[in-house]
Amino acid sequence: WSRIEESLHDSHRPPARAVLSARLAPGGVVTAWRARIAAPSTQAEVMDRIGGDRPAARAHPHPAAVAGADPPYGIANVEMTPDFATKLGASYGAFLKKGSTVITSRDATLVCRMLKRGLLAGLVSVGVNVLDDENMPLPLSRHSIRANSAAGGMHVRLTPELPNLASIEFFDKNGIYLSTNGQRKIETIFYREDFGRTPADEVGEINYTARVVERYSHDFFRQINTEAIKKRNLRPVVDYGYSRIS
């Protein structure tokens, strides 16, 4: 894209240089990740043009220049820790505002159960209510957001390709992945720690969803012409990979 097209499609980002490095286990699994990023301070440049040279400001890159640089995953229980999850949950709760309801879910692994409980603690600490799907496949949890009229959702799982990396995914009220703009707002709240803890009597509630599979199945089959499928006499092939019953 040209500079004009870039400005039309997204917020402008100054150029940046990054050096990424990783440590691999004998089987090729990533066990450590490091990212070093250098970017100019756009704010310092503007102030230079208005009021003259400000060498002190040049020493610090502008935070927006490297927004989103961290990958949406981390090494489970090394980078993705319970305290990290708690802070991230509080940031998402502050983004949604007090009194909102969030759907949470995870895969079947113990480490994701640990991380999800950290998210729950962070969410309720800022006055957000939680409906927990517990161990539930991602498509069902996304459907659960709309079925329960929730303000958003979070899902924790290990990445299929690198099973020692945990991923925390965010969704909006329609069960769609959160927009880039929304992710940046959460990131800003996270790094500024701009989330206010609620008084003890305003802490959010944690409840569990009911009949998630049944409601999903009902809405799923309402969208399918079952009679037409029966007439075709098709032979289905089912892949249970990475599911709860694989």
Side-chain angles (χ1 to χ4, degrees):
W1 286 348
S2 64
R3 179 59 61 87
I4 294 178
E5 290 174 319
E6 179 186 8
S7 300
L8 289 174
H9 287 281
D10 198 358
S11 301
H12 170 64
R13 288 288 185 268
R17 175 173 292 181
V19 177
L20 308 179
S21 57
R23 178 180 297 168
L24 302 180
V29 177
V30 176
T31 58
W33 175 282
R34 184 186 187 190
R36 302 181 65 188
I37 302 173
S41 171
T42 54
Q43 184 176 5
E45 293 295 331
V46 171
M47 294 305 297
D48 286 349
R49 297 176 185 180
I50 295 176
D53 187 41
R54 296 174 180 265
R58 292 182 179 274
H60 304 284
H62 196 274
V66 294
D70 293 334
Y73 53 81
I75 300 173
N77 213 27
V78 176
E79 295 172 330
M80 289 283 193
T81 58
D83 51 334
F84 173 89
T86 302
K87 184 178 174 181
L88 186 60
S91 301
Y92 186 45
F95 168 74
L96 293 176
K97 309 304 180 186
K98 185 168 65 174
S100 301
T101 299
V102 173
I103 300 292
T104 58
S105 58
R106 61 173 176 87
D107 66 15
T109 60
L110 293 177
V111 68
C112 287
R113 180 172 66 175
M114 175 192 71
L115 293 174
K116 193 197 68 176
R117 290 182 177 179
L119 293 173
L120 296 181
L123 287 166
V124 299
S125 72
V126 295
V128 171
N129 301 313
V130 174
L131 283 175
D132 188 15
D133 282 346
E134 300 183 89
N135 176 15
M136 195 64 61
L138 181 55
L140 275 69
S141 294
R142 294 176 66 175
H143 174 266
S144 183
I145 295 172
R146 297 187 62 178
N148 291 282
S149 301
M154 305 178 76
H155 183 76
V156 189
R157 61 174 174 171
L158 296 181
T159 58
E161 297 82 7
L162 299 171
N164 67 326
L165 298 184
S167 173
I168 300 176
E169 297 165 292
F170 298 86
F171 303 95
D172 64 13
K173 63 181 180 180
N174 295 314
I176 301 173
Y177 281 102
L178 199 63
S179 66
T180 303
N181 186 46
Q183 293 178 33
R184 288 173 180 162
K185 289 181 179 179
I186 295 173
E187 184 182 39
T188 300
I189 295 172
F190 181 89
Y191 285 111
R192 292 180 179 177
E193 298 188 1
D194 192 17
F195 41 81
R197 308 293 186 184
T198 62
D201 59 345
E202 296 181 9
V203 170
E205 297 182 357
I206 299 177
N207 294 296
Y208 297 94
T209 51
R211 301 177 59 84
V212 177
V213 177
E214 290 82 354
R215 296 174 72 177
Y216 178 85
S217 299
H218 177 266
D219 290 345
F220 179 81
F221 285 110
R222 282 200 311 170
Q223 307 299 322
I224 296 178
N225 188 341
T226 54
E227 293 301 322
I229 295 176
K230 290 178 181 178
K231 291 178 181 179
R232 293 293 301 273
N233 195 27
L234 300 174
R235 178 179 296 178
V237 176
V238 181
D239 180 9
Y240 293 110
Y242 308 121
S243 74
R244 296 170 62 196
I245 58 177
S246 62

